[in-house]
Amino acid sequence: DAGVIQSPRHEVTEMGQEVTLRCKPISGHDYLFWYRQTMMRGLELLIYFNNNVPIDDSGMPEDRFSAKMPNASFSTLKIQPSEPRDSAVYFCASSSESVNGNQPQHFGDGTRLSIL
Amino acid sequence: AQSVTQPDIHITVSEGASLELRCNYSYGATPYLFWYVQSPGQGLQLLLKYFSGDTLVQGIKGFEAEFKRSQSSFNLRKPSVHWSDAAEYFCAVGSNDYKLSFGAGTTVTVRA
């Protein structure tokens, strides 16, 4: 089974430009998570979805960030306008629902974003 | 809210030696605990998980971890490390809302 697929793997753009990161979760997974990883702050949860509905976006840093999940197999994280401090590795992860209340999250390989 | 502390930022170990990575968590109820490994340029890969039951859990790549409720710890161990074990290791605690809180990570360097 294919894992979580993210695209692009690398993105370099100039500040002020719109950036769109994409994620395809594992088929059948009900939960999708977006994380940001930096040296200074480590892994931060930005937002997560359950059955395509945003559940908690309290980690989204500011209004320049938005995320959507139009269907069960696709999600986007958009930054508009981008700033140099947005440079980081962005990970998407997915997990399935269970009676235990928690299942391991499966991570994509990330998008390394550089804003010049 | 749950939280995780990994006291060691960096550990250097000789190939063939044993390895133990420390993890302490804070959570009011029975925790869901995970260890992930991240190689350079890669995403996080699940090594093992603890939900309930036997407090000693086995994972992939020869790793194991022991849950100790009295110490709020979930330390990761490997009896004999290989050069390919050089990576960053993250401990995480989950809750019923499906969110995970990650520690800051421990970087492991393996010397020949």
Side-chain angles (χ1 to χ4, degrees), chain B:
Chain B
Q2 65 265 35
S3 66
V4 173
T5 302
Q6 293 181 245
D8 304 304
I9 296 174
H10 191 194
I11 286 180
T12 298
V13 60
S14 297
E15 191 169 15
S18 64
L19 174 69
E20 180 166 13
L21 304 182
R22 296 183 291 165
C23 171
N24 293 99
Y25 68 90
S26 173
Y27 185 58
T30 300
Y32 303 99
L33 295 162
F34 307 86
W35 274 100
Y36 285 84
V37 60
Q38 184 180 28
S39 297
Q42 303 294 313
L44 279 70
Q45 180 184 21
L46 178 71
L47 284 175
L48 47 78
K49 62 188 180 189
Y50 172 79
F51 287 170
S52 65
D54 194 347
T55 56
L56 184 64
V57 293
Q58 303 297 320
I60 61 171
K61 305 186 180 189
F63 285 92
E64 66 178 24
E66 186 171 13
F67 170 61
K68 292 186 177 179
R69 184 185 299 276
S70 62
Q71 300 178 18
S72 297
S73 69
F74 189 56
N75 294 348
L76 182 72
R77 299 193 292 256
K78 185 169 184 177
S80 176
V81 299
H82 186 262
W83 63 266
S84 60
D85 294 322
E88 190 162 17
Y89 293 79
F90 293 91
C91 181
V93 61
S95 58
N96 289 338
D97 63 0
Y98 288 81
K99 292 167 65 172
L100 290 182
S101 294
F102 286 87
T106 298
T107 299
V108 173
T109 298
V110 181
R111 59 180 174 224

Side-chain angles (χ1 to χ4, degrees), chain A residues 9 31 33 35 37 43 45 48 56 58 91 95-98 100-105 107-109 112, chain B residues 32 34 36 38 41-46 49 51 88 90 93-100 102-104:
Chain A
R9 287 296 312 274
Y31 286 83
F33 306 81
Y35 291 88
Q37 185 179 39
L43 265 167
L45 177 65
Y48 78 101
D56 185 347
S58 60
F91 287 104
S95 70
S96 57
E97 193 143 10
S98 82
N100 289 330
N102 208 312
Q103 285 293 325
Q105 294 179 17
F107 284 74
D109 286 336
R112 183 173 296 276
Chain B
Y32 303 99
F34 307 86
Y36 285 84
Q38 184 180 28
Q42 303 294 313
L44 279 70
Q45 180 184 21
L46 178 71
K49 62 188 180 189
F51 287 170
E88 190 162 17
F90 293 91
V93 61
S95 58
N96 289 338
D97 63 0
Y98 288 81
K99 292 167 65 172
L100 290 182
F102 286 87

Side-chain angles (χ1 to χ4, degrees), chain A residues 2 5 7-10 18-19 25-26 28 34-35 39 42 49-50 58 60-61 75-78 84 98 105 113:
Chain A
I5 299 172
S7 63
R9 287 296 312 274
H10 303 273
E18 178 179 288
V19 173
I26 293 173
W34 282 102
Y35 291 88
M39 289 291 292
F49 296 82
N50 177 218
S58 60
M60 297 286 262
S75 176
T76 59
L77 178 67
K78 189 170 294 187
S98 82
Q105 294 179 17
L113 178 63

